[in-house]
Amino acid sequence: MFTFDLALVWLDLAGVLFFAVSGSLLAAKKQFDILGSALLASLVALGGGVIRDIIINAGPPAAFTNPVYLLPPLFAAALVYFLFSSIQRFTSLLTLFDAGGLALFCITGTLKALGAGLNPVAAVVLGVTTAVGGGLLRDITANEIPALFNARDLYALPAFAGATLTAVLWSVGAFNGLTAVLVAVLVFAFRVVAWRRAWRVPLAVRGWHRNGVASGAEPRLRD
Amino acid sequence: MFTFDLALVWLDLAGVLFFAVSGSLLAAKKQFDILGSALLASLVALGGGVIRDIIINAGPPAAFTNPVYLLPPLFAAALVYFLFSSIQRFTSLLTLFDAGGLALFCITGTLKALGAGLNPVAAVVLGVTTAVGGGLLRDITANEIPALFNARDLYALPAFAGATLTAVLWSVGAFNGLTAVLVAVLVFAFRVVAWRRAWRVPLAVRGWHRNGVASGAEPRLRD
Amino acid sequence: MFTFDLALVWLDLAGVLFFAVSGSLLAAKKQFDILGSALLASLVALGGGVIRDIIINAGPPAAFTNPVYLLPPLFAAALVYFLFSSIQRFTSLLTLFDAGGLALFCITGTLKALGAGLNPVAAVVLGVTTAVGGGLLRDITANEIPALFNARDLYALPAFAGATLTAVLWSVGAFNGLTAVLVAVLVFAFRVVAWRRAWRVPLAVRGWHRNGVASGAEPRLRD
């Protein structure tokens, strides 16, 4: 399984890089300095995986034992430092990189959990946790409402779809390099199309609508 | 000890449900969508227990290995979705459900720690951590000042009392189903009465008072 | 190695005390009550070490198994309660105590990681994580922009220097009580001088400057 494990590391590192760039982009927007940019990139890129490895409980997280995981955040901070001033569409770019990280981490998180012997349901939950964990840390740290909870955005659903597909493909023995890339592309497309076309799910309360509430069901919040 | 362990799971699940409803209620107040509601419910309901299980360090947390833990957050999101629009007193309801979760988690957290071989003092600390951890995550994520630190509210003291009582009862061999229910009721009542009657402890600095400071000891904060 | 391990515990406890006071000072500034003060002191003082011990994955964290770790936060809350009202320079004091904790934790975090068998690079990363982790939790909880990301402040660089020095001294066999104190003093001085003299590193984007941006490279953020 050497080849497969190696492929998993590469997928994971690609996800780390995508998330790292999203962290450095947010740092630029928030006017952090270059150190803060590298640190926020590390937190986003490595946070989800560290949470995953701590929960699986199989020794120190890869991000701490394999120094190669430190390179993507440094690269991301450098990339944003040199190229950002010519960027036109900040939010679009952040969303695209974030979607790339999400697409790869929901796969690698689920696979790592399956490999550690968790049942498929638990593996899907952990895959989603890995995929959304880093972005959640990023947004909490930068004092933003997390994208995860933003009602203008479908964020967890693509990750959930990707993790479920991965677990199903693994269970029927059809998971390989090709299907992995297919799942990643699908999740990425799902997330980006949902964002461009402003797909929505209903609000948390029946009868309430965005930008105010429906007549006849207005909220009567009393403190 | 099968019966006892089973009772512990039931108490834990009841606490999970209470906290899950508090998460979905806050999601509704914040106008999150239905997915965000289920996710915030999961974070609150499972967060404290996951922190507890990671600290005890006895394999993957129950929330990830036992899929039954995923049902209460889904149930809570559905409950709030269908019933919230007729709710009159939002904050009261959230406080009551939060108090229910607190009352149960300070017991189960302490018991799990004692069962894992921690000393009674450590078990009390972990019980309080479990009880307040989920709510802390909830409030940080939703960008609220955590109830834990809100000087208008006694939050940690009831949890501390419940965890201490549990550890003492366990140490003298008097912990059983009946005393467990008694402790839970006591903690719940302590929390709710303290909130209704606006019981307070002193502020962090001697001589300072709420809504301004006492004459003669005014704060001279210089940057 | 009994003496060395004991010295490590004392250094660690001193760092815990410094960070605990910084937590209680922030609690006072935020008008938390005395319980919130003790809790925030605990979170700051023990948070970084708990994260470290969870990542090293060597049984329950010291803060939970050794009750002596609970004394510094209680002492800090009492200290601030009785002495704070006569304090003149709040921010200066918080920064000094925070710098003391940082100086000690970047050493003890790196040493614990080396002692657990991590490679030197990983040990440095974990040392920095330990040193900045508690303060990050403090600032996130109190809804402040973390000092770690504040572009007006050098925060991570002194910790990184201290962790690297510790790992190098350890590798060449020159780490002992004397060099430990030297490293701590150096890190403390670096942090405090950088803060007093307002040393800066460049912002996250080339060509941008603090308080607005350079002409010719103005940010064209489009949503």
Side-chain angles (χ1 to χ4, degrees):
Chain A
M1 291 284 279
F2 177 71
T3 325
F4 181 74
D5 281 357
L6 197 69
L8 188 56
V9 168
W10 277 105
L11 280 180
D12 208 35
L13 279 173
V16 165
L17 182 59
F18 278 112
F19 271 134
V21 174
S22 84
S24 286
L25 284 173
L26 187 59
K29 185 186 172 197
K30 291 264 167 180
Q31 305 237 20
F32 292 170
D33 62 26
I34 182 80
L35 277 176
S37 172
L39 288 168
L40 192 58
S42 308
L43 188 73
V44 186
L46 308 177
V50 168
I51 294 174
R52 174 197 63 204
D53 292 352
I54 286 174
I55 287 175
I56 290 179
N57 200 17
F64 283 91
T65 52
N66 190 347
V68 77
Y69 275 93
L70 302 175
L71 297 181
L74 298 178
F75 178 73
L79 192 79
V80 168
Y81 180 73
F82 286 111
L83 299 182
F84 187 77
S85 57
S86 58
I87 281 174
Q88 301 285 330
R89 295 159 174 272
F90 169 77
T91 302
S92 304
L93 206 66
L94 200 161
T95 303
L96 290 179
F97 275 96
D98 187 71
L102 194 78
L104 291 165
F105 270 24
C106 68
I107 299 175
T108 59
T110 307
L111 284 181
K112 276 228 180 180
L114 289 166
L118 269 67
N119 66 62
V121 174
V124 167
V125 174
L126 196 59
V128 174
T129 303
T130 308
V132 307
L136 185 60
L137 289 176
R138 177 192 62 212
D139 297 339
I140 288 176
T141 305
N143 244 335
E144 308 256 295
I145 290 273
L148 184 58
F149 297 117
N150 192 334
R152 294 179 306 151
D153 221 341
L154 276 188
Y155 194 84
L157 208 55
F160 181 74
T164 307
L165 267 176
T166 302
V168 169
L169 287 172
W170 169 281
S171 300
V172 302
F175 190 87
N176 54 46
L178 182 69
T179 51
V181 170
L182 275 175
V183 172
V185 169
L186 215 74
V187 172
F188 182 82
F190 183 3
R191 167 91 171 95
V192 171
V193 170
W195 166 67
R196 295 292 295 183
R197 307 223 164 173
W199 288 350
R200 302 274 190 275
V201 292
L203 284 186
V205 178
R206 191 169 55 127
W208 285 16
H209 298 288
R210 282 165 180 84
N211 301 324
V213 293
S215 59
E218 59 181 276
R220 286 163 296 183
L221 295 180
R222 290 204 325 201
D223 204 38
Chain B
M1 292 284 278
F2 176 72
T3 325
F4 180 74
D5 281 356
L6 197 69
L8 189 56
V9 169
W10 277 106
L11 279 180
D12 208 34
L13 280 173
V16 165
L17 182 59
F18 279 112
F19 271 133
V21 173
S22 85
S24 285
L25 284 172
L26 187 59
K29 185 187 173 198
K30 291 266 168 180
Q31 306 238 19
F32 292 170
D33 62 26
I34 182 80
L35 278 176
S37 172
L39 288 168
L40 192 59
S42 307
L43 188 74
V44 186
L46 307 178
V50 168
I51 294 173
R52 175 196 64 205
D53 291 352
I54 286 175
I55 287 174
I56 291 180
N57 200 17
F64 282 90
T65 52
N66 190 347
V68 77
Y69 275 92
L70 302 175
L71 297 181
L74 298 179
F75 178 72
L79 193 79
V80 168
Y81 180 74
F82 286 111
L83 300 182
F84 187 76
S85 57
S86 57
I87 282 173
Q88 299 286 330
R89 294 158 176 273
F90 169 78
T91 303
S92 304
L93 206 65
L94 201 161
T95 303
L96 290 179
F97 275 96
D98 189 70
L102 194 79
L104 292 164
F105 270 24
C106 68
I107 299 174
T108 59
T110 306
L111 285 181
K112 277 228 177 179
L114 289 167
L118 270 65
N119 66 61
V121 174
V124 167
V125 174
L126 196 58
V128 175
T129 304
T130 308
V132 306
L136 185 61
L137 289 176
R138 176 192 62 212
D139 297 339
I140 288 176
T141 305
N143 243 335
E144 309 254 296
I145 292 273
L148 183 57
F149 297 116
N150 192 333
R152 293 179 307 151
D153 221 342
L154 277 188
Y155 193 84
L157 209 55
F160 181 74
T164 306
L165 267 177
T166 301
V168 168
L169 288 171
W170 169 279
S171 300
V172 302
F175 190 88
N176 54 46
L178 182 68
T179 52
V181 171
L182 275 175
V183 173
V185 169
L186 215 74
V187 173
F188 182 83
F190 183 1
R191 167 88 172 97
V192 172
V193 170
W195 166 68
R196 294 292 296 183
R197 307 222 165 175
W199 288 350
R200 303 274 190 274
V201 291
L203 284 188
V205 178
R206 190 169 55 126
W208 284 17
H209 298 289
R210 283 165 180 83
N211 301 323
V213 294
S215 59
E218 59 182 274
R220 287 162 295 181
L221 294 181
R222 289 203 324 200
D223 203 37
Chain C
M1 292 282 278
F2 175 72
T3 325
F4 180 73
D5 281 357
L6 198 68
L8 189 56
V9 168
W10 277 105
L11 280 181
D12 208 35
L13 279 172
V16 164
L17 181 59
F18 279 111
F19 271 134
V21 173
S22 84
S24 285
L25 284 173
L26 188 59
K29 185 186 171 199
K30 291 265 167 180
Q31 307 238 18
F32 292 170
D33 62 26
I34 182 80
L35 277 177
S37 173
L39 288 169
L40 193 59
S42 308
L43 188 74
V44 186
L46 308 178
V50 168
I51 294 173
R52 175 196 63 204
D53 292 352
I54 286 175
I55 287 175
I56 289 180
N57 200 15
F64 283 91
T65 52
N66 190 347
V68 77
Y69 276 92
L70 301 175
L71 297 181
L74 298 178
F75 178 73
L79 192 79
V80 168
Y81 180 74
F82 286 111
L83 300 182
F84 187 77
S85 57
S86 57
I87 281 174
Q88 299 285 329
R89 295 158 176 272
F90 168 78
T91 303
S92 304
L93 206 67
L94 200 161
T95 303
L96 290 180
F97 275 96
D98 188 71
L102 194 78
L104 292 164
F105 270 24
C106 68
I107 299 174
T108 58
T110 306
L111 284 181
K112 276 228 179 181
L114 288 166
L118 268 67
N119 66 62
V121 174
V124 168
V125 175
L126 197 60
V128 175
T129 304
T130 308
V132 307
L136 186 60
L137 289 175
R138 175 192 64 212
D139 297 339
I140 288 176
T141 305
N143 243 335
E144 310 254 297
I145 291 274
L148 184 57
F149 296 116
N150 193 334
R152 296 180 306 151
D153 220 342
L154 276 188
Y155 193 85
L157 209 55
F160 180 74
T164 306
L165 267 176
T166 301
V168 169
L169 288 171
W170 169 280
S171 300
V172 303
F175 190 88
N176 54 46
L178 182 68
T179 52
V181 170
L182 275 176
V183 173
V185 169
L186 214 73
V187 173
F188 182 82
F190 184 2
R191 167 90 172 95
V192 171
V193 171
W195 165 67
R196 294 292 295 181
R197 307 223 165 174
W199 288 350
R200 303 275 190 273
V201 292
L203 285 188
V205 178
R206 191 169 53 127
W208 284 17
H209 298 288
R210 283 165 179 82
N211 301 324
V213 294
S215 59
E218 59 181 276
R220 286 162 296 182
L221 295 181
R222 289 204 323 201
D223 204 38

